[in-house]
Amino acid sequence: MKIVVCVKQVPDTSEIRWTENNTMIRDGVESILNPFDEYALETAIRIKEANPDTIITVLTMGPPQA
């Protein structure tokens, strides 16, 4: 079995600030793995543990640190 998990790096929601124009201020805010994507990755890992022949591929898009 082959599983592809798409993940995205997002700002840590506990540290988000907004400008007066409702624009997110990302300066100084740590980026984290989207929590919902983390659930998907964990599910893929559980499937692999039950089926060792499974291959997991994780894809992301974004700046180099992603």
Side-chain angles (χ1 to χ4, degrees), residues 29-51:
V29 177
E30 181 181 354
S31 294
I32 61 171
L33 178 64
N34 181 335
F36 294 108
D37 297 345
E38 191 173 350
Y39 298 147
L41 183 56
E42 180 160 343
T43 299
I45 291 169
R46 288 181 185 192
I47 292 170
K48 181 171 178 62
E49 288 172 347
N51 303 289

Side-chain angles (χ1 to χ4, degrees), residues 6-11 26 31-34 37 58-66:
C6 298
V7 299
K8 182 166 174 60
Q9 186 181 48
V10 296
R26 291 180 177 245
S31 294
I32 61 171
L33 178 64
N34 181 335
D37 297 345
V58 180
L59 300 176
T60 192
M61 182 174 103
Q65 73 267 17

